[in-house]
Amino acid sequence: MMVGADKIRTLCELGTIVRQRRALGERVVFTNGCFDLLHRGHTRLLQQARALGDLLIVGLNSDASVRLLKGPLRPVLSQDERAELLSALTSVDYVVIFEEPDPSCVIEALEPDVLVKGADWAKEEVVGRETVERRGGRVVTIPLVEGSSTSSIMRRIMEMAPPQHAES
């Protein structure tokens, strides 16, 4: 069995877990993203998000959702690979994969106390902000790590690749 497999859950399972944990007085934190090529910007965001509460749930865009958002060449890693990598991190308590382009349905179902995004998002533009704030929760943006993005990693890889020559 893979490490962290018990952390990958359905939305229905997480609804039950969240209700149980909230009944214990715990604070639920939620963040989401594609997490295509896991890098230090991701791990730092997840560590800081986890520090804001007792339980960190990560919403992961499905392969179809990533293609819709990022184009036909993405994701680089499949949703199963990305979910396994995220679930292996100690800062992540649970991972839920969602098919929609944005996590609004997941946020409405889980009603997190804290919603976290990278600082490349203005708080007013964060999907689910209204849902969280209506319940008295808060939205937190976390500074990005300079030079750490999947797109920049992919550009560096492409620059290192030898040029392709047409066969004669």
Side-chain angles (χ1 to χ4, degrees), residues 113-117 123 126 128-130 132-133 137-141:
D113 302 296
V114 184
L115 177 58
V116 175
K117 285 299 284 181
K123 280 189 184 179
V126 172
R129 178 183 60 83
E130 299 88 355
V132 171
E133 290 178 346
R138 64 189 179 121
V139 175
V140 176
T141 56

Side-chain angles (χ1 to χ4, degrees), residues 37-58:
L37 293 178
L38 201 59
H39 53 73
R40 68 179 174 179
H42 290 140
T43 58
R44 289 182 188 178
L45 177 128
L46 295 168
Q47 289 166 346
Q48 291 175 59
R50 179 63 176 78
L52 296 170
D54 303 297
L55 181 71
L56 175 60
I57 298 172
V58 177

Side-chain angles (χ1 to χ4, degrees), residues 26-39:
E26 294 184 2
R27 188 177 349 185
V28 177
V29 181
F30 179 84
T31 192
N32 67 280
C34 299
F35 299 97
D36 197 0
L37 293 178
L38 201 59
H39 53 73

Side-chain angles (χ1 to χ4, degrees), residues 99-118:
E99 296 291 335
E100 302 78 16
D102 71 55
S104 54
C105 290
V106 177
I107 293 167
E108 287 173 23
L110 298 178
E111 299 182 322
D113 302 296
V114 184
L115 177 58
V116 175
K117 285 299 284 181

Side-chain angles (χ1 to χ4, degrees), residues 53-163:
D54 303 297
L55 181 71
L56 175 60
I57 298 172
V58 177
L60 181 66
N61 290 77
S62 70
D63 291 346
S65 175
V66 174
R67 273 191 292 282
L68 216 97
L69 297 169
K70 306 284 188 178
L73 299 179
R74 301 276 296 274
V76 174
L77 300 177
S78 73
Q79 64 192 36
D80 292 340
E81 291 173 293
R82 292 180 286 125
E84 184 174 334
L85 286 168
L86 286 169
S87 67
L89 299 174
T90 55
S91 56
V92 174
D93 291 295
Y94 294 103
V95 176
V96 60
I97 298 170
F98 62 94
E99 296 291 335
E100 302 78 16
D102 71 55
S104 54
C105 290
V106 177
I107 293 167
E108 287 173 23
L110 298 178
E111 299 182 322
D113 302 296
V114 184
L115 177 58
V116 175
K117 285 299 284 181
D120 51 335
W121 286 83
K123 280 189 184 179
E124 304 75 45
E125 296 174 5
V126 172
V127 171
R129 178 183 60 83
E130 299 88 355
T131 301
V132 171
E133 290 178 346
R134 191 178 321 117
R135 285 194 65 258
R138 64 189 179 121
V139 175
V140 176
T141 56
I142 293 184
L144 301 182
V145 176
E146 187 73 31
S148 285
S149 75
T150 299
S151 298
S152 67
I153 292 169
M154 289 181 65
R155 273 193 301 277
R156 289 197 318 254
I157 292 169
M158 295 308 291
E159 289 167 4
M160 292 169 29

